[in-house]
Amino acid sequence: VGGIPELIGDVKTGLLVPPEDSGALAEAIIKLLKEPAYAGVLRKAAHLEVRDLYDAKTMAAKTAAVYDKVLGIV
């Protein structure tokens, strides 16, 4: 639960609800069921963000940057 807000932008790439708030979760689910076009917009936005942030090339570059920093290369 703690890291989810770092990955999902509320109303941009998903709907965030407070932890252990089943009422808010139910409301969010109902909203998406009632508005499938909106659910599709969120899905596409999330896909694009994940694709850009977590593709293999990007992840390899980020990992190399961490090693460079730890080794004092940068």
Side-chain angles (χ1 to χ4, degrees):
V1 171
I4 291 174
E6 295 173 21
L7 298 173
I8 297 176
D10 193 27
V11 303
K12 294 177 184 167
T13 56
L15 298 178
L16 297 177
V17 298
E20 300 183 32
D21 188 339
S22 58
L25 178 59
E27 287 177 22
I29 291 170
I30 290 168
K31 178 177 181 63
L32 294 175
L33 290 173
K34 286 184 175 181
E35 300 179 38
Y38 178 57
V41 168
L42 292 178
R43 180 195 60 79
K44 285 181 183 178
H47 172 77
L48 291 174
E49 188 161 315
V50 168
R51 182 193 69 189
D52 294 341
L53 290 176
Y54 298 105
D55 68 88
K57 215 181 242 189
T58 301
M59 292 303 295
K62 288 180 178 181
T63 301
V66 169
Y67 281 109
D68 289 348
K69 185 175 180 179
V70 169
L71 296 172
I73 295 172
V74 174

